[in-house]
């Protein structure tokens, strides 16, 4: 008899996968995570056993659902909520237009689908009073929206509490009066509300303490939906605060699911620093096994309040998915689920897989500083030790034309191995570096032979990266510059908090507006 216990290894979703919202539809499990300024909006993963996960198509694929051109860094889609009720998936999300200073412009929407892979409906506007909206389906069939409310006024608590308002499916809008049902605890920064009904109580699960190293999950309960809500006497229910020795930091923003086998799990975000408090992979997603105490409070099965690297999986037969290959040869008609574009959807005016079959063709647009129309195709950096490689054909005739391989956090922070044109050297190769918005060129431009097929490679080792190149069929790699610190590609900016994670990908710029294109033969991402 096999008595081996299946374990969940955390994080279950590595790299930039923050703010998880988990739900169950029959015997299928889904997690939605934030995507901020990256398109398409909202990342969804599917599992049959809570151990193995695969990405499915994102739901927000049309500008009519999500128009982010011009959105600020770390704006866009914040903290989606995915739920399932009576054969319908409901997705609630925020499109953040401003976030720095006293005001936040946070527009909340709802889309729905009967199949997780779509088609998803056009959005229904809900409100703009705050962020982190979540939909609760009560046992009597009524539906309720909760979101944190933002108070911009001087001297006020800007995280002003959690408001509750009914949503009418028939009228497709919020109805009735919004009621503030929970002002939070002394941990402060109360956000990310989710409501659950268990036995005779309504449970309100919120995030508190901010999204950094004091992050926590707070649980409160009430006999009635409108409250008052009593805070767990052992609060916080989950946190990494005070335990710098833990591998999983920043634990918070929890979301609950009961399995079809009757077990409870909490999805939550976390960060794994590579150096001091720098998390280059961004905020990731983990699962913790939970139980209910005799007096009706939610507890980690471990008996502690700290996140664990490994937890016992539910009593479900393991059902793994086929792993994706390391190389994308760009020989399919559509992009795979791991690819994202920046703020704008891909269209044939700047990205095509068919104009030169077997190649990705990108037409150059705006600079790496633009929050409007960048020609960039990228995927999440998901491993501390990995390599990325491509082969490029590019014929620039002006220094304003560039193309290559980029490690990108946002418009302020990136490391870019780019091919360009120099008046004396002709076709050449160099490295552009931006750290907290300060531009630099790390090496003297290296002359290349015109008409070359140029292979480019990035090697990442925890807190540093190094670039390499090779020409035509030459199998030997030539190092470009020195190993470079990449710890600035993280949330912890000295100016203001950020929320995404590092991407690695392909991009083309034509600052003169002539739309010079580059062709990429393949992209390989592999772990060391």
């Amino acid at each position: 008899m096999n008595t081996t216990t299946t374990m969940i290894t955390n994080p279950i979703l590595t790299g930039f996968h923050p703010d998880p919202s988990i739900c169950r539809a029959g015997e299928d499990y889904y997690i939605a995570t934030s995507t901020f300024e990256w398109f398409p909006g909202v990342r969804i993963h599917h599992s049959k056993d809570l151990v193995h996960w695969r990405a499915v198509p994102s739901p927000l694929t049309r500008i009519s659902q999500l128009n982010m051109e011009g959105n600020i860094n770390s704006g866009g889609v914040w903290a989606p909520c995915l739920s399932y009720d009576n054969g319908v998936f409901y997705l609630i999300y925020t499109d953040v237009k401003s976030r720095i200073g006293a005001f936040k412009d946070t527009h909340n929407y709802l889309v729905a689908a009967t199949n997780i892979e779509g088609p998803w409906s056009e959005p229904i506007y809900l409100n703009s009073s705050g962020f982190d909206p979540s939909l609760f389906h009560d046992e009597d069939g009524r539906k309720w929206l909760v979101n944190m409310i933002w108070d911009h006024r001087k001297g006020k608590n800007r995280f002003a509490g959690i408001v509750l308002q009914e949503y009418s499916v028939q009228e497709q809008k919020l109805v009735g009066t919004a009621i503030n049902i929970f002002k939070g605890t002394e941990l402060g920064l109360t956000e990310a509300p989710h409501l659950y009904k268990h036995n005779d109580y309504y449970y309100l699960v919120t995030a508190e303490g901010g999204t950094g190293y004091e992050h926590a999950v707070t649980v409160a309960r009430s006999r009635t939906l409108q409250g008052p809500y009593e805070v767990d006497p052992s609060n916080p229910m989950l946190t990494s605060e005070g335990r710098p020795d833990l591998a999983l930091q920043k634990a918070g923003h929890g979301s609950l699911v009961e399995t079809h086998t009757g077990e409870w799990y909490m999805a939550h975000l976390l960060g794994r620093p590579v150096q001091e408090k720098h998390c280059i992979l961004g905020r990731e997603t983990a699962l913790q096994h939970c139980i209910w105490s005799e007096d009706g409070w939610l507890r980690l099965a471990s008996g502690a309040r700290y996140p664990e690297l490994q937890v016992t999986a539910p009593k479900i037969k393991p059902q793994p998915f086929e792993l994706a290959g390391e190389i994308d040869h760009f020989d399919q008609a559509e992009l795979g689920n791991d690819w994202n574009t920046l703020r704008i959807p891909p269209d044939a005016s700047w990205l095509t897989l068919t104009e030169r079959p077997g190649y990705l063709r990108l037409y150059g647009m705006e600079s790496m500083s633009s929050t409007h129309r960048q020609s960039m195709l990228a995927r999440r950096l998901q491993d501390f030790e990995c390599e990325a490689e491509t082969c490029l054909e590019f014929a620039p005739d002006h220094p304003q034309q560039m193309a290559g391989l980029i490690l990108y956090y946002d418009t302020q922070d990136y490391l870019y191995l780019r091919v360009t044109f120099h008046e004396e050297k002709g076709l050449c190769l160099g490295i552009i570096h931006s750290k907290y918005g300060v531009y630099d060129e790390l090496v003297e431009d290296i002359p290349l032979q015109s008409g070359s097929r140029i292979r480019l490679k990035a090697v990442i080792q925890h807190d540093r990266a190094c670039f390499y190149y090779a020409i035509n069929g030459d199998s030997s790699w030539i190092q470009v510059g020195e190993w470079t610190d990449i710890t600035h590609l993280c949330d912890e900016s000295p100016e203001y908090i950020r929320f995404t994670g590092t991407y690695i990908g392909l991009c083309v710029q034509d600052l003169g507006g002539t739309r010079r294109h580059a062709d990429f033969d393949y992209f390989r991402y592999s772990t060391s």
Side-chain angles (χ1 to χ4, degrees), residues 37-100:
E37 66 262 41
W38 291 93
F39 204 95
V42 179
R43 177 94 152 152
I44 296 180
H45 282 81
H46 168 230
S47 178
K48 302 286 288 186
D49 58 10
L50 297 189
V51 177
H52 305 92
W53 295 85
R54 65 177 179 115
V56 298
S58 294
L60 307 180
T61 59
R62 307 186 296 275
I63 290 179
S64 59
Q65 297 170 315
L66 181 65
N67 187 344
M68 295 191 294
E69 187 170 339
N71 275 23
I72 58 173
N73 290 334
S74 290
V77 175
W78 284 19
C81 171
L82 180 66
S83 60
Y84 180 78
D85 182 60
N86 197 28
V88 178
F89 291 96
Y90 295 85
L91 179 69
I92 313 287
Y93 61 99
T94 307
D95 180 11
V96 176
K97 298 302 185 184
S98 70
R99 67 180 190 89
I100 306 299

Side-chain angles (χ1 to χ4, degrees), residues 182 201-204 219-223 227-233 297:
F182 186 63
Y201 284 99
Y202 292 93
Y203 288 85
L204 178 64
V219 178
R221 70 183 184 186
S222 173
R223 295 281 186 181
Y229 281 83
E230 166 198 10
V231 176
D232 181 348
W297 288 107

Side-chain angles (χ1 to χ4, degrees), residues 392-397 401 403 418-430 445-454 471:
L392 167 69
E393 294 182 27
F394 186 43
D397 60 12
Q401 299 163 355
R418 61 91 175 96
V419 176
T420 189
F421 177 85
H422 189 278
E423 294 89 341
E424 286 81 36
K425 297 179 180 179
L427 189 72
C428 59
L429 175 72
D445 282 337
I446 301 166
L448 302 172
Q449 182 180 351
S450 295
S452 299
R453 279 173 56 88
I454 308 160
I471 298 298

Side-chain angles (χ1 to χ4, degrees), residues 175 213 241 446:
V175 296
Y213 285 83
E241 199 273 330
I446 301 166

Side-chain angles (χ1 to χ4, degrees), residues 15 223 301 315 326 328 368 423:
R223 295 281 186 181
K315 298 178 181 66
E326 291 183 349
D328 189 337
M368 297 78 73
E423 294 89 341

Side-chain angles (χ1 to χ4, degrees), residues 17 31 51-52 79 95 97 100 109 140 147 170 194 205 207 258 280 284 319 330 351 379 423 463 471 505:
H17 291 102
I31 289 179
V51 177
H52 305 92
D95 180 11
K97 298 302 185 184
I100 306 299
Y109 301 93
D140 61 2
N147 62 267
Q170 291 73 28
H194 293 293
V205 177
E258 183 181 12
I280 64 167
E284 306 171 293
Q319 299 184 57
F330 300 124
L351 183 157
R379 58 151 294 158
E423 294 89 341
D463 58 354
I471 298 298

Side-chain angles (χ1 to χ4, degrees), residues 91 94 101 107 121 130 150 186 212 239 250 266 272 296 360 374 405 453 458 521:
L91 179 69
T94 307
H107 309 312
S121 69
W150 182 260
E186 66 279 0
T239 188
K250 300 185 179 182
M266 174 174 281
R272 292 182 293 164
L360 167 73
Q374 287 201 47
L405 184 64
R453 279 173 56 88
D521 189 7

